[in-house]
Amino acid sequence: MDERDLEREGRGRRRKFVAGLLALGLGLTLAGLGFALAPSRSADAATQVGVLAGIGVGLAIGGAIIAWKTRPNDHRWHSETVAARRERLQAGRTQQLWLLPLASAAFLFQGTRGVTAILSGDGSWPDGISALLPVLYAWVAAAVAMGWDHRSRTERRFMEDELTLVLRARAVGLAFLVLMAGGTVALGLGLWRPSLAILALPFVLTAAGATAGIRFAWLDREAGRDG
């Protein structure tokens, strides 16, 4: 990397390191608060603190990973070649596309409980958040697969190539098929019982986003193996 690239990369890593530490601190605070309040709560209150703890754990894990990867005492990136940087960034994208669908699936059970509470008329704002979390992670997975995330946009010359475009088209094509099939099933359920259609939608959206991410990551892995 030339001097300008080194300076820009250094600024970006410092920002990410600080953001990672802030996310780690906030996550540990939320998780600790949730676990501390859980024994004294029951029913809906227990669900609310469970959502709080879940968000905290997710933030803490994500913040810790970001902070570790951008730690100030790691100077290996200074002498990184263009090919090595491209390989590192694309490998990081593949790791994200494996982890994001898993996070989405982990929050899906909690989200289903939230949707059920809302449909029964007993829901509160934590139920709404828990219902949206798996869908949010599915959106992030789809955005990374499509190259809409911040890193893909700012590092486009390293992240985009002909192979990426081919893998993206195949992954998104399958995700669209899953979305259409899931939407059709949700429509059928809605014609029978409208509440079941609403309950099915988080599963449909999560499945479509996860398909885009996992399919891209799997194809990238197979392409690397063939290479």
Side-chain angles (χ1 to χ4, degrees):
M1 291 189 289
D2 58 27
E3 196 66 31
R4 181 176 299 178
D5 286 336
L6 283 172
E7 185 178 350
R8 182 164 58 87
E9 177 74 6
R11 288 197 304 267
R13 288 178 66 89
R14 286 192 293 272
R15 287 195 299 267
K16 291 176 183 177
F17 179 71
V18 172
L21 289 181
L22 291 175
L24 175 60
L26 179 60
L28 290 176
T29 301
L30 293 178
L33 186 61
F35 288 125
L37 294 175
S40 61
R41 304 300 173 95
S42 59
D44 290 342
T47 300
Q48 294 173 11
V49 297
V51 172
L52 188 68
I55 294 173
V57 170
L59 278 174
I61 294 175
I65 292 174
I66 293 172
W68 173 255
K69 287 187 174 182
T70 57
R71 60 194 185 276
N73 62 345
D74 183 9
H75 302 294
R76 289 174 296 178
W77 60 275
H78 284 185
S79 57
E80 192 174 42
T81 63
V82 172
R85 186 176 183 183
R86 177 179 291 111
E87 183 177 353
R88 173 175 62 83
L89 290 172
Q90 293 186 357
R93 176 179 59 194
T94 302
Q95 292 174 1
Q96 278 187 298
L97 292 175
W98 283 118
L99 293 175
L100 287 169
L102 294 177
S104 183
F107 282 111
L108 188 57
F109 174 73
Q110 190 94 23
T112 302
R113 294 177 59 183
V115 173
T116 303
I118 292 172
L119 290 175
S120 66
D122 299 326
S124 56
W125 67 267
D127 294 310
I129 293 176
S130 65
L132 292 175
L133 276 176
V135 179
L136 175 62
Y137 276 98
W139 265 102
V140 175
V144 173
M146 289 295 297
W148 294 339
D149 60 298
H150 176 73
R151 183 169 62 176
S152 295
R153 288 186 291 108
T154 56
E155 303 285 359
R156 191 168 297 277
R157 66 192 179 106
F158 298 105
M159 304 284 284
E160 298 285 335
D161 51 29
E162 291 184 6
L163 177 61
T164 297
L165 297 178
V166 172
L167 301 186
R168 178 176 296 151
R170 295 176 65 181
V172 172
L174 182 59
F176 179 73
L177 181 62
V178 170
L179 181 63
M180 289 294 294
T184 303
V185 172
L187 175 61
L189 291 173
L191 294 175
W192 176 41
R193 290 184 181 177
S195 61
L196 290 181
I198 297 175
L199 189 61
L201 283 176
F203 287 90
V204 174
L205 294 171
T206 299
T211 299
I214 293 175
R215 180 63 172 166
F216 190 108
W218 178 266
L219 291 172
D220 185 65
R221 176 189 175 190
E222 293 298 304
R225 182 180 297 174
D226 293 340

